[in-house]
Amino acid sequence: MKNSPGPVFTIAMPKQADAEFGCAVLLENVQDPGNVGTVLRTLDAAGFDGCVFTPGCADPYGPKTLRATMGSLFRVPMCTVENAAQAAA
């Protein structure tokens, strides 16, 4: 945003969740922050247990992603794994 009013408040970063979820989505190389945010918002609305990120995905805490999640970022547990195939297994 070009004319941001600045920070309104600060929060502590959420802790990374365990990599074991009952019903989760694995994101591999999703590089658009808006898409990552939309996926997290959808997971929250659908009641999924979490989201697993692989290297190459957009930063889930980036400004554009945060805007797209509309607050769902704080309700969906997330973790990052190095290998998508092992995480899926």
Side-chain angles (χ1 to χ4, degrees), residues 3-69:
N3 298 319
S4 173
V8 176
F9 59 90
T10 59
I11 60 166
M13 298 293 282
K15 293 181 182 179
Q16 184 163 324
D18 293 331
E20 295 184 19
F21 299 117
C23 185
V25 168
L26 178 96
L27 297 181
E28 184 174 20
N29 297 323
V30 180
Q31 297 177 355
D32 184 83
N35 289 343
V36 170
T38 301
V39 168
L40 290 173
R41 192 174 71 236
T42 303
L43 294 177
D44 183 30
F48 278 68
D49 295 329
C51 186
V52 180
F53 291 90
T54 60
C57 285
D59 180 14
Y61 301 107
K64 290 183 180 181
T65 308
L66 285 171
R67 192 171 28 238
T69 64

Side-chain angles (χ1 to χ4, degrees), residues 70-83:
M70 300 175 84
S72 292
L73 176 79
F74 303 110
R75 293 185 294 271
V76 177
M78 297 178 292
C79 71
T80 303
V81 296
E82 294 298 320
N83 187 318

